[in-house]
Amino acid sequence: MKNKAFIVNKTEEGKFVSGIEEIAIPTIGENEILIKASYSSLNFKDALSSVGNPGVTKNFPHVTGIDVVGVVEESHSSKFKKGDEVLVTGYDMGMNSDGGHQSFVKVPESWVLKKPSNITDKEIMTYGTAGLTAGLSVNELLNNGVTPQSGEILVTGATGGVGSITVSILKKLGFDIVAISGKEDKIPFLKELGAKEVILRKDFDIENKKPMMKERFAGVVDTVGGNILAEALKVIKYDGVATCCGLTSSFELPTNVFPFILRGVRLIGIDSVECKIEKKTAVWEKLADDFKIDTLEALTNEITLEQLPKAYKTLLDGKAVGRYLVKI
């Protein structure tokens, strides 16, 4: 058996070079399993890792890929046996531990979930970490009493992986969705996914000195942070909810307390990396059932390991639309 992997190396001059290599199949220890990968996916964090971003990866040589799905090839775990269909998203995989962009992936048993029965490997990695994050975000809206009858939902960064899946899930659940995007040419794409209205980022990302604006949205799923989230908080209805999961606009939040203390607005952080395995499992079951969407094919760009460099550049340039599925 061969282990084909996408490797990022750091040169003596401090530069980062990457490409396909054949490396040794990992040797597993106690409470670890070896997964024979079928698919992985591509996320912004993978792109950062591929160029040596120290906030993501410090250990080189390094295999990228924060997601993987496949079959247990070897197990030193009482929880999983050879032949089990499993998936891993998040934790340290693809960060400072070698990730899913290789034929065989070694992981601790504590990171591993059994794959839901009514979803394919390809579908589950089309979701990947982005889909899990979208599912966690939608779940928080529902758990906090936001229903289709509550009013419109605003989704920021809507053409990205998390945003596009969020729009699709909310549409399936019967919500009216307003999407924000900086890509004017993708308005038809977002409306096809289910957005009833698309606001261009340049028309929303304006620093408004007013601490609050007229109420409009029952909920917000924010994927970008910064001033866009700050402005969104000002237009949430009384007792409304905003979730926050990203920082592609900015990690800063120039806001004020008025939406929280005068309208009872709740801002909920979403973390798909270290959240409890039980919480991940529950959302994956929903993504395979109640949240399962019929637009996955429209969202998917399927690529091979050899095509990763071009896809990474597209992500880093902010030009990606939908999800990248990586066939191993």
Side-chain angles (χ1 to χ4, degrees), residues 37-41 68-69 121-122 125 302 325-328:
S38 58
Y39 288 95
S40 183
S41 70
V68 73
V69 66
D121 286 8
K122 185 174 181 178
M125 277 298 105
E302 184 171 331
L325 176 74
V326 184
K327 186 173 178 60
I328 305 299

Side-chain angles (χ1 to χ4, degrees), residues 211-228:
M212 288 196 299
M213 303 290 287
K214 183 179 179 181
E215 297 177 46
R216 178 173 180 183
F217 301 106
V220 172
V221 175
D222 174 66
T223 72
V224 299
N227 186 64
I228 291 177

